[in-house]
Amino acid sequence: VGRTGAVTPVANLAPVSLAGTTVKRATLHNFDEIERLGLMLGDRVILEKGGEIIPKITGVLTEKRVGNEEKIVEPSECPACGEPLVRLDDEVVLRCDNLYCPAQLQRLLLHFVSREAMGIENIGPALIEQLCSSGLVNAPVDLYQLTVEQLMKLERMGEKSAENVLSAIEESKNRSLEH
């Protein structure tokens, strides 16, 4: 579930070496792509790197099927929050419309702290997950109200680390719109 609520299927693969990296996951883009490929759970696949970076499945080796493969069923509920998924008439993307979906919030915060947005150092996926699950952060604005004491209650967060996080957050207040 992405920051906009888009639900993107991802293939979990047996680790394979591809163009100098070990690949364990590949995007499937949307459920129409799964249908187009004729992909089933347990299939052997042809894997390429799009733009030499992003692993993607480009084909299915149907001749390698052994009979225990299973049809991939498009979900009707968000895997993160359980709310019904929707598809707008002009889109192939399934979406979670729940503005309080925990997965959307985490992806939104990851984007918010990224270099492309506010450029807040010292905040990564693990800390964002803790901030959300503890209820300390429910929206990006909540980052700006955190205290050293609140952060120190989190796992693996000492006083110096907490101060570094707050310093990076404070520094982000000076970012220009052109940033």
Side-chain angles (χ1 to χ4, degrees), residues 1 11 18 24 29-30 56 63 79 88 90 92 129 137 152 156 162-163:
V1 181
L18 179 65
K24 297 179 186 177
H29 304 293
N30 56 58
K56 64 179 181 176
E63 68 276 9
L88 301 177
D90 58 340
V92 295
E129 186 175 333
V137 175
M152 285 179 54
R156 297 175 43 193
E163 288 172 356

Side-chain angles (χ1 to χ4, degrees), residues 20-152:
T21 61
T22 300
V23 176
K24 297 179 186 177
R25 296 166 55 95
T27 182
L28 290 166
H29 304 293
N30 56 58
F31 289 93
D32 287 359
E33 180 70 1
I34 291 171
E35 190 71 28
R36 185 189 71 74
L37 289 168
L39 183 64
M40 297 179 76
L41 289 173
D43 271 340
R44 290 182 175 240
V45 296
I46 300 169
L47 188 64
E48 295 178 3
K49 279 195 174 179
E52 299 181 25
I53 297 173
I54 300 172
K56 64 179 181 176
I57 293 173
T58 58
V60 176
L61 301 172
T62 55
E63 68 276 9
K64 300 279 188 179
R65 287 186 173 157
V66 295
N68 63 351
E69 295 80 11
E70 299 175 33
K71 182 168 174 41
I72 296 172
V73 180
E74 183 176 292
S76 59
E77 297 176 348
C78 175
C81 70
E83 290 292 314
L85 295 175
V86 297
R87 183 188 311 244
L88 301 177
D89 292 335
D90 58 340
E91 291 186 348
V92 295
V93 176
L94 280 175
R95 291 196 186 279
C96 174
D97 274 349
N98 178 8
L99 296 176
Y100 302 101
C101 175
Q104 279 186 65
L105 174 61
Q106 287 183 25
R107 299 311 180 292
L108 169 68
L109 290 169
L110 276 172
H111 173 73
F112 185 82
V113 302
S114 73
R115 261 184 242 145
E116 296 80 26
M118 295 304 291
I120 302 174
E121 300 285 328
N122 304 317
I123 299 182
L127 180 55
I128 285 176
E129 186 175 333
Q130 285 190 74
L131 290 169
C132 292
S133 64
S134 69
L136 289 174
V137 175
N138 295 300
V141 69
D142 295 341
L143 291 169
Y144 295 92
Q145 297 167 10
L146 291 171
T147 65
V148 169
E149 293 75 22
Q150 289 173 317
L151 290 173
M152 285 179 54

